[in-house]
Amino acid sequence: MVKVVTINILFDMECWEKRSKLLVDELKVINADLIALQEINIQEQTGDWLAQQLNMPYMYLVPFQAAPYKNGPEYGIGILSRYPFVLQQQLDLKSQGRLAQYVQVNINNQPLIFCNGHYYWQPGTTPARMEQFKLLVDWLSELPLLPIIAVGDFNATPDTPEIEFIREHFISAYAAHHGSEPEYTCPTPLSKPSRSLTRKIGRRVVNILVHRKIEPWRGTLDYIFINQRLQVHNCELILTKSAPDNEQIYPSDHFGIAAELEVTL
């Protein structure tokens, strides 16, 4: 059995002291073998800090080639592991400076591939994201016939052609366990006091134009996908609770997902 987690931890350092405690407290209880992180703040070394707090001795950090947001901090993705890496690779996704990564680990003498990515951001569907997903599928198809777990912030909702394409090649662990994807994984009720009024209005306009909804958007962007060599024993949303003393503080603006998986050769 292998236990895995994916969570976009949010590069923004606002409320990080409280958010990080929530992250660490719950992730310690889950005690995953492998954790995929998106939006690691490179300057603040948030990935390294989490690895230390969780006593996970192996980390593979991949900084993005360009900052996705103008004047924003440098950030990237990372994999934390309790097992040494037999192999580690990265994939240039060809747009927005983004990369995917995978590691091979051996758990109880069983080789396994764990892939992490944070893909093209644009509301709705977009050809650029589909091209990234095609690159990802082609990349993973070059691997030997091993158990593959592909996780991350896919930035696409379940109804998009991009996620339908991924489903042609992989199984969603959450949907396999529950019969459907979660209602939403983003955004959480995390409040960001410093967000400007202009940005808030801009997001509302985008929501109306793209999703044709007046109420604030929310949807599922985060997934754990597996191939046929794995079976789902459990898969749940995690990091869904606010700070005990402040209902506006959550671990991140995304919920995480945790899964218990068994190799079935």
Side-chain angles (χ1 to χ4, degrees):
M1 196 78 70
V2 58
K3 187 179 290 188
V4 302
V5 160
T6 181
I7 175 65
N8 181 324
I9 62 173
L10 181 61
F11 65 78
D12 191 336
M13 297 302 291
E14 188 171 3
C15 306
W16 175 250
E17 184 176 351
K18 290 186 176 181
R19 293 199 303 107
S20 62
K21 183 179 187 309
L22 294 173
L23 282 166
V24 168
D25 286 351
E26 186 162 347
L27 290 174
K28 280 184 175 179
V29 172
I30 293 169
N31 194 33
D33 300 295
L34 294 155
I35 298 177
L37 303 175
Q38 302 91 47
E39 293 200 23
I40 292 173
N41 188 312
I42 303 300
Q43 286 86 355
E44 301 294 336
Q45 299 184 317
T46 54
D48 303 77
W49 183 85
L50 281 172
Q52 293 171 4
Q53 297 300 309
L54 298 172
N55 295 315
M56 301 188 80
Y58 305 101
M59 178 178 178
Y60 177 28
L61 173 62
V62 175
F64 284 169
Q65 296 171 315
Y69 297 102
K70 185 178 180 181
N71 301 322
E74 182 184 8
Y75 72 80
I77 56 177
I79 293 173
L80 311 184
S81 175
R82 301 196 186 281
Y83 298 87
F85 302 138
V86 177
L87 181 67
Q88 54 190 62
Q89 298 289 336
Q90 66 184 47
L91 172 69
D92 184 354
L93 294 170
K94 306 297 184 182
S95 51
Q96 289 187 337
R98 295 175 185 263
L99 300 163
Q101 62 178 161
Y102 75 69
V103 298
Q104 179 182 325
V105 296
N106 291 336
I107 301 178
N108 297 326
N109 297 316
Q110 171 60 58
L112 179 144
I113 299 293
F114 187 63
C115 177
N116 177 34
H118 187 188
Y119 301 94
Y120 195 95
W121 183 86
Q122 180 177 308
T125 183
T126 172
R129 189 186 302 117
M130 180 66 86
E131 287 304 312
Q132 289 189 344
F133 287 4
K134 289 178 179 178
L135 287 171
L136 173 71
V137 168
D138 289 345
W139 187 49
L140 295 178
S141 69
E142 297 172 357
L143 291 165
L145 295 177
L146 294 175
I148 296 176
I149 308 167
V151 311
D153 178 354
F154 286 75
N155 267 325
T157 52
D159 58 334
T160 57
E162 296 98 294
I163 294 300
E164 288 296 331
F165 171 75
I166 293 289
R167 286 200 194 101
E168 292 173 5
H169 302 273
F170 295 95
I171 301 160
S172 166
Y174 191 96
H177 189 65
H178 293 275
S180 64
E181 300 294 354
E183 180 184 0
Y184 70 101
T185 63
C186 177
T188 71
L190 174 66
S191 176
K192 300 179 186 176
S194 66
R195 179 174 287 171
S196 68
L197 179 61
T198 301
R199 189 174 179 189
K200 290 178 181 177
I201 294 173
R203 284 175 175 258
R204 183 63 61 87
V205 170
V206 168
N207 185 47
I208 293 171
L209 293 176
V210 175
H211 302 289
R212 303 185 185 280
K213 293 182 179 180
I214 296 176
E215 64 272 16
W217 176 88
R218 64 184 189 182
T220 292
L221 302 178
D222 307 87
Y223 304 85
I224 293 177
F225 288 110
I226 60 174
N227 68 359
Q228 297 284 354
R229 292 178 172 262
L230 289 150
Q231 180 180 353
V232 183
H233 280 254
N234 191 32
C235 189
E236 304 294 342
L237 289 183
I238 61 170
L239 302 162
T240 60
K241 297 178 181 178
S242 66
D245 60 343
N246 190 332
E247 293 182 352
Q248 293 186 317
I249 301 296
Y250 278 72
S252 179
D253 60 343
H254 287 244
F255 295 141
I257 306 178
E260 293 181 61
L261 308 167
E262 183 180 7
V263 175
T264 56
L265 296 179

